[in-house]
Amino acid sequence: MRFIIQRDRLVQSVQDVMKAVTSRTTIPILTGIKMVVTEDGVTLTGSDSDISIESFIPREEAGDELVEIKQTGSIVLQAKFFSEIVKKLPTDTVEIDVQNHFQTVIRSGKSEFNLNGLDAEEYPHLPQIEEQNAFKIRTDLLKVLVRQTVFAVSTSETRPVLTGVNWKVENGELICIATDSHRLALRKAKVDIENDINYNVVIPGKSLNELSKILDDTNDLVDIVITENQVLFKAKHLLFFSRLLEGNYPDTTRLIPSESKTEVTVNTKEFLQSIDRASLLAREGRNNVVKFSTIEEKVIEVSSNTPEIGKVVEELQAQAITGEELKISFSAKYVMDALKAVEGQEIKISFTGAMRPFIIQPLNDDSILQLILPVRTY
Amino acid sequence: MRFIIQRDRLVQSVQDVMKAVTSRTTIPILTGIKMVVTEDGVTLTGSDSDISIESFIPREEAGDELVEIKQTGSIVLQAKFFSEIVKKLPTDTVEIDVQNHFQTVIRSGKSEFNLNGLDAEEYPHLPQIEEQNAFKIRTDLLKVLVRQTVFAVSTSETRPVLTGVNWKVENGELICIATDSHRLALRKAKVDIENDINYNVVIPGKSLNELSKILDDTNDLVDIVITENQVLFKAKHLLFFSRLLEGNYPDTTRLIPSESKTEVTVNTKEFLQSIDRASLLAREGRNNVVKFSTIEEKVIEVSSNTPEIGKVVEELQAQAITGEELKISFSAKYVMDALKAVEGQEIKISFTGAMRPFIIQPLNDDSILQLILPVRTY
């Protein structure tokens, strides 16, 4: 195997596949990056056996030669060293040359590295996925879907299925739901699907976070293929495989109240900043809980009191308050997470009493819903 | 005590004095910031008893009213909460109002905080320093002096005096020296001193790092007052006190070789990058050691070899090599630290054989000197 490659493209691909590589693995060869050179170009692979990422650098792109292939072949190189080396090479092109016994020479200008490689035949094979029944979604929309839901997954392993995001495809619509049983995030979007197939799977939150980091903010379509225990995201020159979580995701539809007793419309940013300030004194001891009350027509009060430190009272002008008066306590962190995820200048909060979950949604947009359980203090 | 102050100025002063505040203190009141309001303005103080910082906000500056003083007085507020609060307040001005029992109200727009304060009388007094015999140095030069020496202090407490930088003033010249006994950094500069006083003190490295963070890059003069156990840096509206380290600093002049056997002139950045790459494979096991050899006229080789990972060879064009051929091994980290500290496009390295310390200096500039002990491998 021998080829000369544009350094920037190699660096980018190595960074992408590195997202799947971990040093904490029981399979030593997975600490490496696999490189396969064919007449078409170079394919890099990284995997921690949960997530696998494949990045392809074509021989030529838009008339520009990216790789000059001297001899095809394959090798596995230690990811930690290889990624650091390519980042720091002195010239714009890099020559990679595998010699006897997997010895790999990396040349760039007057710099020459000699790395001990491993046999690519020993590298685990990626799952074979039948590519029929893919559905499509725009890359930037996919990133939004992830951002608006994944923060709400559980970080506790007591119910492993809650560490993932439930993806359901029904009637050409994708519904993403995450909950840690104290709050729930839901986001719907139309997807481009040919046949009338339904899906109901749980994708690990970690996988979605890594996927989101790799994808660019383009409006290119991503193909999504779901099988029994794997999901594959196919973007340009990039394959992202993740295993699915086993177990049934709880039915969350019953949790979401269908009617409300108090509705408040408020500026998103002003509300977020008020809660942020009110929570400053609530961080210690009391689990970051703030109080929220409607105090007069169109005025809200957000407050917290930690006797040993002090107290804070924030008054906030609402656009509208309808329904019953309300006093409720909630986790400032959960509400701030939800407000950051919601897009839109104004939000509507729908309460069904101080003891019941409440809903935050952008004004006039039902595609996103953030549900939060109150804390019982009043 | 009651006043209204421009928020940005308050935030800046709080950030400055926070540099001296630590939560790890045995004196509870030192977790607070002291605020004293006089007819002239507001003075904030933070201290960890090693470092004390005082920041003054005048009532008026350049015709602009910064503070509107309603009533003079003083208070101590919990630094952790106070600093977070002022950063997040909603409006450009802040009212601070101390009421009964040190209860302090902080008002900004519709936001109102009530903090439990402490009696400022309980706050330790700062050292009284006679301000005669100050010498002066430009702020930006002072920051350079610190940057070029402080990284070489020892991080080990086995010889506490080596955790500081030795400052000597002799014949109107300031000499700063730091060493951890494996390498030494020295920087000289003319200072503005009236009488013919000499000093020889050791300033904690930590104090100089914090000082450097607070000072702006201006060419205003800083007054420096040295007493038996304290040093005071006086900048505009800012006092920075540090205790001095006890004990005699070792005489380092004998360490610095006065003649050399091999001299190499090389581009600083190219040399730094070569060593950086060569060290990539040397990080594990072998303590980051790289080999350096003169291999032919004007060519240097930097290399490292870690059998289980691989090897690297870097060739580098020197501007000039004079004297004996040389093979030497050294810590890549120490040489990179020194190269980053040295200013100037080209540097001269003066060797006195493979077993003797060598010197790195900018070409044609004797005010800075970096000395490094080699590692014995050849």
Side-chain angles (χ1 to χ4, degrees):
Chain A
M1 181 184 118
R2 190 170 150 234
F3 65 96
I4 297 162
I5 191 164
Q6 291 195 7
R7 191 180 64 104
D8 289 352
R9 287 299 287 252
L10 180 61
V11 170
Q12 184 59 54
S13 280
V14 169
Q15 270 176 6
D16 283 351
V17 303
M18 276 296 281
K19 297 271 192 307
V21 179
T22 167
S23 53
R24 295 186 306 268
T25 171
T26 50
I27 308 166
I29 203 167
L30 290 186
T31 61
I33 288 176
K34 184 169 80 160
M35 242 186 312
V36 177
V37 179
T38 65
E39 292 298 334
D40 300 328
V42 180
T43 304
L44 284 86
T45 308
S47 176
D48 67 357
S49 77
D50 282 345
I51 300 172
S52 302
I53 302 172
E54 207 178 279
S55 175
F56 177 67
I57 305 165
R59 187 173 196 146
E60 205 182 284
E61 193 175 63
D64 190 15
E65 184 179 49
L66 303 181
V67 193
E68 186 188 333
I69 290 149
K70 304 281 195 180
Q71 199 190 331
T72 60
S74 61
I75 191 75
V76 174
L77 295 176
Q78 280 305 303
K80 192 172 94 184
F81 297 107
F82 185 55
S83 64
E84 283 295 307
I85 290 168
V86 294
K87 250 190 284 180
K88 294 191 168 170
L89 289 175
T91 57
D92 290 344
T93 58
V94 183
E95 181 179 351
I96 297 183
D97 183 0
V98 177
Q99 299 174 339
N100 290 334
H101 305 294
F102 313 115
Q103 281 297 313
T104 306
V105 179
I106 303 168
R107 272 185 218 98
S108 169
K110 292 283 179 73
S111 175
E112 185 173 306
F113 285 81
N114 223 302
L115 280 188
N116 306 339
L118 293 166
D119 186 355
E121 295 298 319
E122 314 263 313
Y123 197 88
H125 290 287
L126 293 196
Q128 293 298 310
I129 287 188
E130 296 272 343
E131 305 209 358
Q132 54 205 22
N133 299 331
F135 61 93
K136 292 175 200 290
I137 191 165
R138 280 209 340 261
T139 310
D140 46 4
L141 178 58
L142 174 60
K143 291 183 74 167
V144 169
L145 292 180
V146 171
R147 187 177 65 77
Q148 292 182 328
T149 51
V150 75
F151 68 90
V153 301
S154 170
T155 52
S156 147
E157 285 293 338
T158 49
R159 283 183 73 189
V161 80
L162 295 188
T163 63
V165 181
N166 183 204
W167 277 37
K168 289 191 282 194
V169 178
E170 289 169 5
N171 311 320
E173 190 177 52
L174 170 65
I175 306 168
C176 306
I177 299 169
T179 180
D180 61 4
S181 73
H182 301 291
R183 38 117 175 238
L184 176 147
L186 180 151
R187 170 68 204 243
K188 295 186 250 187
K190 291 268 164 235
V191 291
D192 192 352
I193 188 161
E194 281 191 12
N195 23 31
D196 193 23
I197 298 182
N198 290 353
Y199 295 100
N200 188 342
V201 296
V202 186
I203 306 175
K206 181 174 175 296
S207 301
L208 292 171
N209 274 324
E210 296 303 333
L211 172 68
S212 202
K213 284 184 210 157
I214 291 183
L215 294 176
D216 293 326
D217 276 309
T218 66
N219 52 19
D220 295 347
L221 290 173
V222 179
D223 278 28
I224 302 174
V225 187
I226 292 175
T227 69
E228 204 183 333
N229 49 23
Q230 290 280 337
V231 56
L232 164 61
F233 297 88
K234 287 179 70 181
K236 193 182 174 199
H237 299 326
L238 191 83
L239 300 182
F240 185 103
F241 298 82
S242 168
R243 73 178 172 97
L244 297 173
L245 289 176
E246 287 172 21
N248 289 321
Y249 202 81
D251 178 16
T252 55
T253 45
R254 290 169 305 121
L255 282 177
I256 300 165
S258 52
E259 49 193 21
S260 67
K261 292 185 179 163
T262 313
E263 293 210 338
V264 176
T265 309
V266 69
N267 179 287
T268 316
K269 195 175 158 197
E270 285 176 16
F271 187 46
L272 178 62
Q273 290 176 341
S274 284
I275 295 176
D276 191 13
R277 283 192 297 269
S279 74
L280 283 176
L281 304 187
R283 288 208 184 129
E284 323 260 294
R286 295 192 61 213
N287 196 24
N288 209 3
V289 173
V290 299
K291 292 182 185 182
F292 172 105
S293 17
T294 56
I295 55 169
E296 53 185 273
E297 204 193 335
K298 292 198 183 179
V299 182
I300 296 166
E301 189 183 276
V302 180
S303 65
S304 90
N305 186 2
T306 308
E308 57 277 26
I309 302 162
K311 63 180 179 189
V312 47
V313 178
E314 293 274 334
E315 265 188 28
L316 189 70
Q317 199 68 33
Q319 259 87 41
I321 302 178
T322 58
E324 298 175 6
E325 268 186 42
L326 179 83
K327 283 184 195 296
I328 194 169
S329 294
F330 50 69
S331 152
K333 181 182 181 304
Y334 289 168
V335 172
M336 287 196 284
D337 284 349
L339 292 173
K340 284 174 196 162
V342 167
E343 282 167 347
Q345 276 206 296
E346 267 122 43
I347 47 140
K348 186 182 71 181
I349 320 172
S350 311
F351 299 94
T352 329
M355 299 303 191
R356 300 273 302 145
F358 57 93
I359 292 173
I360 299 175
Q361 289 188 295
L363 210 57
N364 309 320
D365 178 2
D366 286 340
S367 72
I368 175 164
L369 177 150
Q370 302 284 341
L371 176 136
I372 292 158
L373 268 69
V375 176
R376 299 183 186 204
T377 59
Y378 276 107
Chain B
M1 180 183 118
R2 188 169 152 234
F3 65 97
I4 297 162
I5 190 164
Q6 292 197 4
R7 192 180 62 104
D8 290 350
R9 286 300 287 252
L10 180 62
V11 169
Q12 183 59 56
S13 279
V14 169
Q15 270 176 6
D16 283 351
V17 304
M18 276 297 279
K19 298 270 191 309
V21 179
T22 167
S23 53
R24 296 187 304 269
T25 171
T26 51
I27 309 167
I29 202 166
L30 290 185
T31 60
I33 289 175
K34 183 169 79 161
M35 244 188 309
V36 177
V37 180
T38 64
E39 292 297 336
D40 300 327
V42 181
T43 305
L44 285 87
T45 308
S47 175
D48 67 359
S49 74
D50 283 344
I51 300 172
S52 301
I53 303 172
E54 206 177 283
S55 175
F56 178 67
I57 305 165
R59 184 172 199 148
E60 204 182 286
E61 193 175 64
D64 190 16
E65 185 180 49
L66 304 181
V67 193
E68 185 188 334
I69 290 148
K70 303 280 196 183
Q71 199 191 332
T72 60
S74 61
I75 192 75
V76 174
L77 295 175
Q78 280 304 304
K80 193 172 94 185
F81 297 106
F82 185 54
S83 64
E84 284 295 307
I85 290 167
V86 293
K87 249 190 285 181
K88 294 191 167 169
L89 290 175
T91 57
D92 290 344
T93 58
V94 183
E95 180 179 350
I96 297 183
D97 183 0
V98 176
Q99 300 175 336
N100 290 332
H101 305 294
F102 313 115
Q103 281 296 316
T104 306
V105 179
I106 303 168
R107 271 185 217 98
S108 169
K110 292 281 179 74
S111 174
E112 184 173 305
F113 286 80
N114 224 301
L115 280 187
N116 305 339
L118 293 166
D119 186 355
E121 294 297 319
E122 313 263 312
Y123 197 88
H125 291 286
L126 293 194
Q128 293 299 309
I129 287 187
E130 297 271 343
E131 303 209 358
Q132 55 205 22
N133 299 329
F135 61 92
K136 289 174 201 293
I137 190 165
R138 281 210 337 262
T139 310
D140 47 3
L141 178 58
L142 174 59
K143 291 183 74 167
V144 170
L145 292 179
V146 171
R147 187 176 64 78
Q148 293 183 328
T149 51
V150 76
F151 67 89
V153 300
S154 171
T155 52
S156 147
E157 284 293 338
T158 48
R159 285 182 73 188
V161 80
L162 295 188
T163 63
V165 181
N166 184 204
W167 278 38
K168 289 191 282 194
V169 178
E170 291 169 3
N171 311 320
E173 190 177 52
L174 170 64
I175 306 168
C176 306
I177 299 168
T179 181
D180 60 5
S181 73
H182 301 291
R183 40 117 173 238
L184 176 148
L186 180 151
R187 170 70 203 243
K188 295 186 250 187
K190 290 272 164 229
V191 291
D192 192 352
I193 186 162
E194 280 192 10
N195 25 31
D196 193 23
I197 298 180
N198 290 350
Y199 294 101
N200 188 342
V201 296
V202 185
I203 305 175
K206 181 172 176 298
S207 301
L208 292 170
N209 274 324
E210 296 302 334
L211 173 68
S212 204
K213 283 183 211 158
I214 291 183
L215 295 175
D216 293 326
D217 277 309
T218 66
N219 52 19
D220 294 345
L221 291 174
V222 177
D223 278 26
I224 303 173
V225 187
I226 292 174
T227 70
E228 205 183 331
N229 50 24
Q230 289 279 338
V231 55
L232 164 60
F233 297 87
K234 289 180 69 180
K236 194 184 174 197
H237 299 325
L238 192 83
L239 300 182
F240 186 103
F241 299 81
S242 168
R243 74 178 172 96
L244 298 173
L245 289 176
E246 286 172 21
N248 290 320
Y249 202 81
D251 178 17
T252 54
T253 46
R254 289 168 308 121
L255 282 177
I256 300 164
S258 52
E259 50 192 20
S260 66
K261 291 185 178 163
T262 312
E263 294 210 337
V264 176
T265 308
V266 70
N267 179 288
T268 315
K269 195 175 157 195
E270 286 177 15
F271 188 45
L272 178 62
Q273 290 176 339
S274 284
I275 295 176
D276 191 12
R277 284 192 296 268
S279 73
L280 284 175
L281 304 187
R283 285 206 185 128
E284 324 259 294
R286 295 192 61 213
N287 196 24
N288 208 3
V289 173
V290 299
K291 292 183 184 182
F292 173 104
S293 16
T294 56
I295 55 168
E296 54 186 275
E297 205 191 338
K298 293 198 182 181
V299 182
I300 297 166
E301 189 183 276
V302 180
S303 65
S304 90
N305 187 1
T306 308
E308 56 276 28
I309 302 162
K311 64 182 180 188
V312 46
V313 178
E314 292 274 334
E315 266 188 29
L316 188 70
Q317 199 68 31
Q319 259 86 40
I321 302 178
T322 58
E324 298 175 5
E325 269 185 39
L326 179 83
K327 283 185 195 294
I328 193 168
S329 294
F330 50 70
S331 152
K333 180 181 183 305
Y334 288 168
V335 171
M336 286 194 284
D337 283 349
L339 291 172
K340 285 173 196 163
V342 166
E343 282 168 345
Q345 275 207 297
E346 267 121 43
I347 47 138
K348 187 182 72 182
I349 320 171
S350 310
F351 298 95
T352 330
M355 300 304 192
R356 302 271 302 143
F358 58 94
I359 292 172
I360 299 175
Q361 289 188 293
L363 211 57
N364 309 319
D365 177 1
D366 287 339
S367 73
I368 175 164
L369 177 151
Q370 302 284 344
L371 176 137
I372 291 157
L373 268 69
V375 176
R376 300 183 185 203
T377 59
Y378 276 107

Short mmCIF file of all heavy atoms in Angstrom, two decimals, chain A residues 184-215:
data_model
loop_
_atom_site.label_atom_id
_atom_site.label_comp_id
_atom_site.label_asym_id
_atom_site.label_seq_id
_atom_site.Cartn_x
_atom_site.Cartn_y
_atom_site.Cartn_z
N LEU A 184 -39.18 15.53 29.79
CA LEU A 184 -39.30 14.83 28.52
C LEU A 184 -39.16 15.85 27.40
O LEU A 184 -39.68 16.96 27.49
CB LEU A 184 -40.65 14.12 28.45
CG LEU A 184 -41.05 13.40 27.17
CD1 LEU A 184 -41.91 12.18 27.51
CD2 LEU A 184 -41.80 14.30 26.20
N ALA A 185 -38.42 15.47 26.35
CA ALA A 185 -38.30 16.33 25.17
C ALA A 185 -38.83 15.57 23.97
O ALA A 185 -38.51 14.39 23.79
CB ALA A 185 -36.84 16.71 24.95
N LEU A 186 -39.66 16.24 23.18
CA LEU A 186 -40.26 15.58 22.02
C LEU A 186 -40.13 16.50 20.82
O LEU A 186 -40.36 17.70 20.91
CB LEU A 186 -41.73 15.27 22.30
CG LEU A 186 -42.54 14.58 21.21
CD1 LEU A 186 -43.64 13.73 21.84
CD2 LEU A 186 -43.15 15.58 20.23
N ARG A 187 -39.73 15.91 19.68
CA ARG A 187 -39.64 16.71 18.46
C ARG A 187 -40.11 15.87 17.28
O ARG A 187 -39.71 14.71 17.15
CB ARG A 187 -38.19 17.15 18.26
CG ARG A 187 -37.88 17.78 16.92
CD ARG A 187 -38.56 19.15 16.74
NE ARG A 187 -38.71 19.46 15.35
CZ ARG A 187 -38.14 20.49 14.71
NH1 ARG A 187 -37.38 21.33 15.37
NH2 ARG A 187 -38.32 20.69 13.43
N LYS A 188 -40.98 16.45 16.45
CA LYS A 188 -41.51 15.76 15.28
C LYS A 188 -40.98 16.42 14.02
O LYS A 188 -40.74 17.64 14.01
CB LYS A 188 -43.03 15.87 15.24
CG LYS A 188 -43.74 15.18 16.38
CD LYS A 188 -45.25 15.23 16.15
CE LYS A 188 -45.92 16.16 17.15
NZ LYS A 188 -47.39 16.14 17.09
N ALA A 189 -40.84 15.64 12.94
CA ALA A 189 -40.49 16.22 11.64
C ALA A 189 -40.93 15.28 10.54
O ALA A 189 -40.89 14.06 10.69
CB ALA A 189 -38.98 16.46 11.56
N LYS A 190 -41.34 15.87 9.41
CA LYS A 190 -41.66 15.08 8.22
C LYS A 190 -40.36 14.51 7.67
O LYS A 190 -39.33 15.18 7.66
CB LYS A 190 -42.28 15.98 7.15
CG LYS A 190 -43.65 16.47 7.48
CD LYS A 190 -44.74 15.52 6.93
CE LYS A 190 -46.08 15.79 7.59
NZ LYS A 190 -46.68 14.61 8.21
N VAL A 191 -40.40 13.26 7.25
CA VAL A 191 -39.24 12.70 6.57
C VAL A 191 -39.63 12.19 5.20
O VAL A 191 -40.81 12.01 4.90
CB VAL A 191 -38.58 11.54 7.37
CG1 VAL A 191 -37.93 12.06 8.63
CG2 VAL A 191 -39.60 10.46 7.70
N ASP A 192 -38.63 11.97 4.40
CA ASP A 192 -38.82 11.55 3.02
C ASP A 192 -38.72 10.02 3.01
O ASP A 192 -37.63 9.45 3.09
CB ASP A 192 -37.68 12.21 2.22
CG ASP A 192 -37.91 12.09 0.74
OD1 ASP A 192 -38.85 11.38 0.34
OD2 ASP A 192 -37.13 12.71 -0.01
N ILE A 193 -39.87 9.35 2.99
CA ILE A 193 -39.88 7.89 3.07
C ILE A 193 -40.76 7.34 1.96
O ILE A 193 -41.84 7.87 1.69
CB ILE A 193 -40.34 7.41 4.47
CG1 ILE A 193 -40.17 5.91 4.64
CG2 ILE A 193 -41.77 7.83 4.76
CD1 ILE A 193 -40.18 5.47 6.10
N GLU A 194 -40.27 6.28 1.27
CA GLU A 194 -40.99 5.83 0.08
C GLU A 194 -42.16 4.92 0.40
O GLU A 194 -43.27 5.18 0.04
CB GLU A 194 -40.02 5.12 -0.87
CG GLU A 194 -39.22 6.14 -1.67
CD GLU A 194 -38.45 5.51 -2.81
OE1 GLU A 194 -38.70 4.33 -3.13
OE2 GLU A 194 -37.60 6.22 -3.37
N ASN A 195 -41.88 3.86 1.12
CA ASN A 195 -42.98 2.94 1.40
C ASN A 195 -43.50 3.17 2.80
O ASN A 195 -42.90 3.89 3.61
CB ASN A 195 -42.52 1.50 1.22
CG ASN A 195 -41.02 1.39 1.37
OD1 ASN A 195 -40.44 2.17 2.14
ND2 ASN A 195 -40.39 0.48 0.68
N ASP A 196 -44.58 2.57 3.10
CA ASP A 196 -45.33 2.90 4.30
C ASP A 196 -44.83 2.07 5.49
O ASP A 196 -45.58 1.36 6.13
CB ASP A 196 -46.81 2.64 4.03
CG ASP A 196 -47.66 3.25 5.11
OD1 ASP A 196 -47.18 4.19 5.76
OD2 ASP A 196 -48.80 2.77 5.29
N ILE A 197 -43.52 2.16 5.77
CA ILE A 197 -42.96 1.33 6.84
C ILE A 197 -42.91 2.14 8.14
O ILE A 197 -42.61 3.33 8.12
CB ILE A 197 -41.55 0.87 6.46
CG1 ILE A 197 -41.61 0.01 5.19
CG2 ILE A 197 -40.92 0.08 7.60
CD1 ILE A 197 -40.29 -0.53 4.75
N ASN A 198 -43.23 1.50 9.24
CA ASN A 198 -43.11 2.14 10.54
C ASN A 198 -41.89 1.60 11.29
O ASN A 198 -41.52 0.44 11.12
CB ASN A 198 -44.36 1.88 11.39
CG ASN A 198 -45.56 2.63 10.82
OD1 ASN A 198 -45.42 3.44 9.91
ND2 ASN A 198 -46.73 2.35 11.37
N TYR A 199 -41.29 2.44 12.08
CA TYR A 199 -40.16 2.02 12.92
C TYR A 199 -40.42 2.46 14.35
O TYR A 199 -41.11 3.46 14.59
CB TYR A 199 -38.86 2.66 12.45
CG TYR A 199 -38.40 2.22 11.08
CD1 TYR A 199 -38.62 3.03 9.97
CD2 TYR A 199 -37.73 1.01 10.92
CE1 TYR A 199 -38.20 2.64 8.71
CE2 TYR A 199 -37.30 0.61 9.66
CZ TYR A 199 -37.54 1.42 8.56
OH TYR A 199 -37.11 1.03 7.33
N ASN A 200 -39.81 1.76 15.29
CA ASN A 200 -39.85 2.19 16.69
C ASN A 200 -38.58 1.64 17.34
O ASN A 200 -38.51 0.48 17.71
CB ASN A 200 -41.11 1.64 17.37
CG ASN A 200 -41.27 2.22 18.77
OD1 ASN A 200 -40.32 2.76 19.34
ND2 ASN A 200 -42.47 2.12 19.33
N VAL A 201 -37.54 2.49 17.42
CA VAL A 201 -36.24 2.03 17.92
C VAL A 201 -35.71 3.04 18.94
O VAL A 201 -36.24 4.13 19.11
CB VAL A 201 -35.21 1.89 16.78
CG1 VAL A 201 -35.64 0.81 15.79
CG2 VAL A 201 -34.98 3.22 16.07
N VAL A 202 -34.65 2.63 19.66
CA VAL A 202 -34.02 3.52 20.64
C VAL A 202 -32.54 3.63 20.29
O VAL A 202 -31.81 2.64 20.29
CB VAL A 202 -34.20 2.99 22.07
CG1 VAL A 202 -33.66 4.01 23.08
CG2 VAL A 202 -35.67 2.67 22.36
N ILE A 203 -32.10 4.87 19.99
CA ILE A 203 -30.71 5.11 19.60
C ILE A 203 -29.96 5.69 20.80
O ILE A 203 -30.44 6.65 21.42
CB ILE A 203 -30.65 6.11 18.42
CG1 ILE A 203 -31.52 5.61 17.26
CG2 ILE A 203 -29.21 6.32 17.97
CD1 ILE A 203 -31.61 6.58 16.10
N PRO A 204 -28.79 5.13 21.16
CA PRO A 204 -28.07 5.66 22.32
C PRO A 204 -27.82 7.17 22.19
O PRO A 204 -27.43 7.65 21.11
CB PRO A 204 -26.74 4.90 22.30
CG PRO A 204 -27.03 3.64 21.54
CD PRO A 204 -28.08 4.01 20.54
N GLY A 205 -28.04 7.91 23.27
CA GLY A 205 -27.80 9.36 23.26
C GLY A 205 -26.38 9.69 22.85
O GLY A 205 -26.14 10.63 22.09
N LYS A 206 -25.43 8.91 23.32
CA LYS A 206 -24.03 9.15 22.99
C LYS A 206 -23.80 9.07 21.48
O LYS A 206 -23.08 9.91 20.92
CB LYS A 206 -23.17 8.10 23.72
CG LYS A 206 -21.68 8.24 23.50
CD LYS A 206 -20.90 7.27 24.38
CE LYS A 206 -19.42 7.33 24.06
NZ LYS A 206 -19.09 6.88 22.69
N SER A 207 -24.41 8.11 20.83
CA SER A 207 -24.25 7.98 19.38
C SER A 207 -24.76 9.23 18.67
O SER A 207 -24.11 9.76 17.76
CB SER A 207 -25.02 6.77 18.85
OG SER A 207 -24.58 5.59 19.47
N LEU A 208 -25.92 9.72 19.09
CA LEU A 208 -26.51 10.89 18.44
C LEU A 208 -25.64 12.12 18.68
O LEU A 208 -25.48 12.96 17.79
CB LEU A 208 -27.93 11.12 18.94
CG LEU A 208 -28.93 10.03 18.52
CD1 LEU A 208 -30.26 10.20 19.25
CD2 LEU A 208 -29.17 10.06 17.00
N ASN A 209 -25.07 12.25 19.87
CA ASN A 209 -24.17 13.36 20.14
C ASN A 209 -22.96 13.33 19.21
O ASN A 209 -22.56 14.36 18.66
CB ASN A 209 -23.69 13.33 21.60
CG ASN A 209 -24.65 14.04 22.52
OD1 ASN A 209 -25.26 15.04 22.15
ND2 ASN A 209 -24.80 13.53 23.74
N GLU A 210 -22.35 12.16 19.06
CA GLU A 210 -21.17 12.06 18.19
C GLU A 210 -21.55 12.31 16.73
O GLU A 210 -20.83 13.00 16.01
CB GLU A 210 -20.51 10.68 18.33
CG GLU A 210 -19.95 10.36 19.71
CD GLU A 210 -18.93 11.37 20.21
OE1 GLU A 210 -18.25 12.02 19.38
OE2 GLU A 210 -18.81 11.53 21.44
N LEU A 211 -22.67 11.76 16.31
CA LEU A 211 -23.15 11.99 14.94
C LEU A 211 -23.29 13.48 14.67
O LEU A 211 -22.83 14.00 13.65
CB LEU A 211 -24.51 11.30 14.75
CG LEU A 211 -25.23 11.58 13.44
CD1 LEU A 211 -24.49 10.95 12.27
CD2 LEU A 211 -26.67 11.08 13.47
N SER A 212 -23.90 14.17 15.63
CA SER A 212 -24.16 15.59 15.47
C SER A 212 -22.86 16.38 15.32
O SER A 212 -22.80 17.35 14.57
CB SER A 212 -24.95 16.06 16.68
OG SER A 212 -25.65 17.22 16.40
N LYS A 213 -21.81 15.95 16.04
CA LYS A 213 -20.52 16.66 15.96
C LYS A 213 -19.88 16.51 14.58
O LYS A 213 -19.15 17.38 14.13
CB LYS A 213 -19.56 16.10 17.01
CG LYS A 213 -19.84 16.56 18.42
CD LYS A 213 -18.77 16.03 19.37
CE LYS A 213 -19.33 15.81 20.76
NZ LYS A 213 -18.54 14.83 21.52
N ILE A 214 -20.11 15.36 13.95
CA ILE A 214 -19.43 15.08 12.68
C ILE A 214 -20.13 15.75 11.51
O ILE A 214 -19.50 16.18 10.56
CB ILE A 214 -19.40 13.56 12.43
CG1 ILE A 214 -18.46 12.91 13.43
CG2 ILE A 214 -18.96 13.25 11.02
CD1 ILE A 214 -18.33 11.43 13.20
N LEU A 215 -21.47 15.83 11.57
CA LEU A 215 -22.21 16.33 10.41
C LEU A 215 -22.03 17.83 10.25
O LEU A 215 -22.05 18.58 11.23
CB LEU A 215 -23.70 15.99 10.56
CG LEU A 215 -24.05 14.50 10.54
CD1 LEU A 215 -25.54 14.33 10.80
CD2 LEU A 215 -23.66 13.86 9.21
#
